[in-house]
Amino acid sequence: MEDLPEALVTEILKKITRTSDLNSLSLVSKQLYRIEGNQRGAIRAGSGLCTAIKALTSLCDRFPNLRKVEIDYSGWIPGHGSQLNNKGLFVFSSHCSSLTDLTLSFCSYIGDSGLGCLAYCKTLVSLRLISTPQITSNGLFSVAVGCTSLSALHLIDCEKINSVEWLEYLGRDGSLEELVVKNCEGVNHHDLLKFGSGWTKLQKFEFEKKKGMSDLLPCDEVFDSLYDAHTTDTYDFCCESLKDLRLVRIKTWPEIGLRVVLGKCKALENLSLEYVLALNDNDLIALSRSCSNLKSISLGLNLQRYSSDVQYCETRTSFTDNSLYALALNCPMLQIVDLKFTGCDSDWPSEIGFTQEGFLALIQSCPIRVLVLNTANFLDEEGMKALSSSPHLETLELIFCPEVTDAGMRFIAHTPCLSNLTLRLCHQVTDVGVAELGRARKLESLVIEYCGGISLQAAQGVAKSVDYSKKCSAALSKKIGLGGGF
């Protein structure tokens, strides 16, 4: 190796991706040690990181071209040694001149002064702060002022962030294209509107309200099913570059708040709305008219109370077939649909605002490739028959759909392009229905979880890849919403 040109050795090392292999190679010779160190662009460290200043300096000298650094102390206990602190972060920020991507997870000893050191990182493009309990709005403001190249900011479980001067500054002078705020109790969805002109460049936005005990209880408030938040320009801002939008557990009534964004994002491709209170058909209709490029929609819906007059009140999920018809009419590129209904009783079909008729209108109008239905009590044998004629459907996931039976499997087995099927808690499907799937010989993968009528023997050989589980794990229960969806 010593006789090979350095450029050739560098190209060879670029082909090796496993960190353990690179570490081993660097011990072979001084040449490999130096070349490998110069080309290493990313490191991930945690409890094993030596936090002594001299050691950190040596680490940065060893890898002078680091672009991506992740410090993760998840699962850390005092017995694991010292954590990286403000002085240690200063070493990284001052010695890694090429640093573009930094993630700090569960870093309990990094505060505002440490975050202020990032002003030295003029090349920093992406910053993720996850469970950093000492960070406040002051530290974020330092980042906003100093890191002029910042385009992606993630704040997750940051308890002490409250005032939003940092957000206003980034909106006015920054260049954020990606903003994610999750479980930061001091930031509400009305605060995010203070981002102002920053919305113009934003391409990805996620806001998730911290889960609270009250979220597990049904909301007693009655919402206006005819209220239209998109008839007036309450907020003067533009978000026409937004491609990815996710809103979780927010209340949009009586103030409008982030609700108005749904009618303003013309470039939107991926939408996820999970347990957002007070939305109605007017919101999805406004969105569908603006977003002809929509490719993916995920709706997590729970029971809410709606009324259009004082005489009558109904308890149902947020949207009705009018929303589905609007999406079918205006979103010709829609390919991924994920619908989850929480708390809806199969004996009360009216609790789900969608009917099979509206659902099939959407499926038959759009080139749906991936479909996920969770607790969809409206889907029966006739629906499965109609679904089987979908020319583009490749992946189907059915979770706790009580009207899906062996007859439905007989139809779905002949769906032209279906190659991936998942059945979870579909107790009306038995070995007979699985046999229908096997005879069709179309499936690449089959996942069966907690379907009491299906045996392992029947599932074997039905697809090239079969994943079978008889038990319903705690993680699966949470995923399918058996705990209330929140």
Side-chain angles (χ1 to χ4, degrees):
M1 293 290 285
E2 297 286 353
D3 297 329
L4 294 177
E6 184 169 311
L8 178 58
V9 176
T10 300
E11 288 302 314
I12 293 173
L13 291 181
K14 286 181 180 179
K15 305 293 184 181
I16 302 173
T17 57
R18 290 178 55 181
T19 301
S20 59
D21 292 339
L22 289 170
N23 290 338
S24 298
L25 273 172
S26 67
L27 300 176
V28 173
S29 70
K30 290 182 178 180
Q31 181 194 32
L32 285 175
Y33 181 87
R34 178 176 52 81
I35 295 174
E36 192 276 327
N38 286 335
Q39 79 162 26
R40 183 80 68 94
I43 62 168
R44 184 177 187 272
S47 298
L49 178 66
C50 182
T51 56
I53 300 301
K54 186 176 180 179
L56 291 174
T57 304
S58 298
L59 180 68
C60 293
D61 290 340
R62 167 82 173 89
F63 305 115
N65 298 313
L66 285 176
R67 295 180 300 277
K68 183 176 182 179
V69 174
E70 180 179 355
I71 309 296
D72 185 358
Y73 286 106
S74 56
W76 178 88
I77 58 175
H80 291 159
S82 300
Q83 279 199 15
L84 185 75
N85 58 21
N86 293 328
K87 291 181 179 180
L89 187 58
F90 172 74
V91 173
F92 274 112
S93 61
S94 59
H95 285 70
C96 300
S97 58
S98 301
L99 188 63
T100 61
D101 190 314
L102 176 64
T103 300
L104 301 175
S105 299
F106 299 91
C107 295
S108 302
Y109 294 92
I110 291 178
D112 290 340
S113 61
L115 210 60
C117 297
L118 298 182
Y120 290 96
C121 301
K122 300 302 181 183
T123 59
L124 191 65
V125 172
S126 176
L127 175 63
R128 298 173 183 84
L129 301 176
I130 303 170
S131 293
T132 50
Q134 301 305 319
I135 299 297
T136 74
S137 300
N138 294 331
L140 284 180
F141 188 79
S142 299
V143 170
V145 174
C147 301
T148 55
S149 299
L150 195 67
S151 67
L153 177 62
H154 290 213
L155 305 173
I156 302 172
D157 292 313
C158 296
E159 301 171 357
K160 290 190 176 181
I161 296 173
N162 42 42
S163 61
V164 290
E165 289 85 1
W166 57 273
L167 183 66
E168 294 173 344
Y169 188 93
L170 284 173
R172 184 172 63 251
D173 299 317
S175 57
L176 277 193
E177 296 179 358
E178 184 174 316
L179 177 60
V180 175
V181 181
K182 297 182 182 179
N183 301 334
C184 297
E185 194 169 2
V187 182
N188 63 58
H189 75 103
H190 295 98
D191 291 332
L192 274 300
L193 293 170
K194 297 176 183 178
F195 194 46
S197 58
W199 283 96
T200 304
K201 293 197 66 174
L202 207 60
Q203 296 183 26
K204 176 179 179 178
F205 175 68
E206 293 186 29
F207 179 76
E208 181 173 335
K209 176 182 169 290
K210 190 169 185 178
K211 182 179 177 180
M213 290 299 296
S214 60
D215 293 330
L216 298 174
L217 304 174
C219 182
D220 291 331
E221 193 165 356
V222 179
F223 306 121
D224 186 353
S225 59
L226 300 180
Y227 178 72
D228 193 347
H230 309 278
T231 55
T232 59
D233 248 349
T234 307
Y235 303 103
D236 184 21
F237 69 91
C238 169
C239 52
E240 294 188 353
S241 298
L242 197 63
K243 293 183 179 180
D244 296 274
L245 173 63
R246 180 172 179 261
L247 303 177
V248 184
R249 286 193 297 270
I250 65 174
K251 180 181 178 181
T252 67
W253 184 265
E255 303 90 352
I256 297 174
L258 285 177
R259 181 180 196 167
V260 74
V261 174
L262 296 174
K264 291 178 175 286
C265 36
K266 295 183 179 180
L268 194 67
E269 296 181 1
N270 305 297
L271 172 68
S272 178
L273 300 174
E274 301 176 36
Y275 314 113
V276 180
L277 293 182
L279 294 180
N280 61 33
D281 285 331
N282 288 324
D283 296 296
L284 274 194
I285 291 172
L287 179 130
S288 70
R289 289 171 177 170
S290 298
C291 306
S292 59
N293 294 324
L294 191 68
K295 296 178 181 178
S296 170
I297 185 168
S298 176
L299 301 177
L301 306 175
N302 61 321
L303 293 177
Q304 299 177 30
R305 301 178 70 193
Y306 286 92
S307 176
S308 58
D309 58 60
V310 295
Q311 301 294 327
Y312 175 72
C313 177
E314 58 179 337
T315 300
R316 59 168 173 80
T317 54
S318 304
F319 308 115
T320 71
D321 284 352
N322 291 332
S323 292
L324 297 179
Y325 293 141
L327 291 170
L329 179 64
N330 299 314
C331 301
M333 299 177 65
L334 189 61
Q335 300 176 32
I336 301 174
V337 174
D338 186 339
L339 303 178
K340 176 181 179 180
F341 307 96
T342 298
C344 300
D345 194 324
S346 58
D347 293 331
W348 294 88
S350 61
E351 288 186 341
I352 294 181
F354 298 150
T355 69
Q356 183 161 269
E357 181 182 359
F359 167 73
L360 293 177
L362 176 67
I363 298 302
Q364 293 167 350
S365 300
C366 301
I368 306 299
R369 294 188 302 103
V370 178
L371 176 62
V372 180
L373 295 176
N374 189 331
T375 321
N377 59 27
F378 54 75
L379 184 67
D380 59 17
E381 181 179 334
E382 289 301 312
M384 293 289 278
K385 181 179 180 180
L387 199 59
S388 69
S389 63
S390 301
H392 305 283
L393 187 63
E394 299 172 0
T395 299
L396 176 63
E397 187 170 337
L398 301 175
I399 306 166
F400 195 55
C401 295
E403 300 302 318
V404 172
T405 65
D406 290 336
M409 291 299 104
R410 185 175 67 250
F411 290 123
I412 211 68
H414 300 287
T415 309
C417 295
L418 186 68
S419 58
N420 307 296
L421 176 64
T422 296
L423 301 174
R424 291 191 176 100
L425 287 140
C426 292
H427 298 301
Q428 301 304 313
V429 180
T430 70
D431 290 352
V432 175
V434 172
E436 295 286 348
L437 298 172
R439 278 190 282 272
R441 297 185 177 278
K442 287 187 175 183
L443 293 181
E444 293 287 330
S445 70
L446 174 65
V447 177
I448 297 175
E449 295 184 356
Y450 203 59
C451 298
I454 303 176
S455 66
L456 175 60
Q457 292 74 16
Q460 289 175 336
V462 171
K464 293 180 180 179
S465 171
V466 175
D467 188 352
Y468 179 91
S469 177
K470 194 76 172 178
K471 296 181 179 180
C472 185
S473 66
L476 176 59
S477 297
K478 183 177 181 181
K479 180 177 180 181
I480 64 180
L482 293 182
F486 290 94

